[in-house]
Amino acid sequence: MVPDIDTLTAMIRDRQIGDRRLLVAIAGAPASGKSTLSERLHHHLGGDEAGAVVVPMDGYHFDDAILSARGLLPRKGAPETFDTGGFKRTLEAIRTDDDDVYVPVFDRHLELSRGSARCVSQRHRIVLVEGNYLLLNQSPWDQLASLFDLTLFIDTPLAVLEKRLIQRWLDHGHDQPSARQKALDNDIPNARTVAEYSKFGTAIIINNA
C-alpha cells in the first residue's frame, strides 16, 4: 500500500514524544517529488505556525566558484558537489536544540545558495529534511542516518525521472537537445547513484510513478 498524505502526516505525529524535536528525512532521486511532498506535509502538519519547518539539502551546494576550481562544475548536483560536513553540523545543531539555527536555501533561478535564508527556531518541533543523498551508504553521507527519527524514500522509475528532468531543463530555457543532454549526462547518473547506493533500512517507501 502506498501511504497517502494523511497517513504520512499521522505517522509523523505518532513519532512525536512530548516536546522533543522530531527530524524526518525525505529522500529520493532528482525530480522524484521530494520538494512537493515536503511542502504538502508541511501544510498538512499545520505549517510554520504549528511548529513544522522544511530544511532542504540543496542549500548546501558548493558555490560555482569552488566547483569550477575543483573541476566539478559539470557534475553540479552529484554527491561530491555538496558541503556534506556543513550540512551534518547543521543537522546536529538542530538535533541538539539549544538555539535557533539558520539554514541556506538554494535559489534555482540564481543557481546559488542564499545563506541564512530560513530559521529553524525554538518553536519548530517537526523538521522535514529533504534531499537526494540522505540515505547514501557512502562516506561522508552515511554519517547522517542516525540523526533522523523517521525516513521516507520516494521510489520513482528512471523513465519517469528522465522525462521530468528533461522538462525541468526545458523550463529553465534550454532547447530539447540541450535539455536532454543535461539530464542524461548528470541528473540521471545521480538518480542511479541514489537508487543503487541508498541504504533503505527502515525507510518507508513511497512509490511515485
Side-chain angles (χ1 to χ4, degrees):
M1 182 184 74
V2 179
D4 59 25
I5 194 71
D6 291 325
T7 301
L8 290 173
T9 302
M11 285 180 179
I12 292 171
R13 291 290 191 201
D14 288 344
R15 293 294 181 102
Q16 287 188 284
I17 302 174
D19 196 43
R20 181 178 181 271
R21 181 173 277 165
L22 187 78
L23 269 68
V24 180
I26 301 172
S32 61
K34 300 179 303 299
S35 297
T36 299
L37 178 59
S38 298
E39 290 167 6
R40 292 186 67 201
L41 284 171
H42 181 253
H43 173 75
H44 276 70
L45 289 163
D48 188 76
E49 292 183 1
V53 66
V54 178
V55 174
M57 183 199 81
D58 279 356
Y60 292 84
H61 271 99
F62 281 128
D63 189 80
D64 285 1
I66 292 177
L67 295 178
S68 293
R70 297 180 179 181
L72 289 172
L73 189 57
R75 293 287 291 133
K76 188 173 184 177
E80 64 271 25
T81 65
F82 289 87
D83 177 14
T84 318
F87 183 47
K88 177 175 178 281
R89 287 189 291 274
T90 298
L91 294 180
E92 288 173 337
I94 292 171
R95 174 89 283 167
T96 301
D97 194 14
D98 285 338
D99 203 352
D100 292 350
V101 179
Y102 294 87
V103 302
V105 175
F106 190 72
D107 189 319
R108 289 195 175 277
H109 296 290
L110 299 176
E111 274 296 301
L112 53 78
S113 295
R114 295 184 290 110
S116 302
R118 185 168 299 169
C119 178
V120 181
S121 73
Q122 291 296 292
R123 72 175 180 276
H124 292 128
R125 298 292 91 194
I126 298 176
V127 182
L128 305 171
V129 184
E130 65 103 344
N132 298 336
Y133 306 120
L134 304 183
L135 298 181
L136 203 62
N137 194 23
Q138 296 177 348
S139 181
W141 292 97
D142 57 0
Q143 300 173 26
L144 301 180
S146 63
L147 297 171
F148 303 122
D149 300 291
L150 176 67
T151 301
L152 312 178
F153 181 83
I154 305 176
D155 185 22
T156 310
L158 279 175
V160 174
L161 293 175
E162 181 178 319
K163 183 178 179 180
R164 292 179 184 174
L165 289 162
I166 291 172
Q167 186 60 52
R168 177 183 287 180
W169 288 113
L170 289 171
D171 293 343
H172 277 70
H174 291 264
D175 59 22
Q176 184 71 31
S178 173
R180 181 174 177 80
Q181 182 176 359
K182 289 186 77 65
L184 296 183
D185 285 356
N186 191 32
D187 295 329
I188 290 298
N190 292 338
R192 288 197 177 98
T193 295
V194 172
E196 294 174 14
Y197 298 105
S198 290
K199 186 176 182 180
F200 302 113
T202 59
I204 297 167
I205 307 298
I206 303 166
N207 296 311
N208 184 15

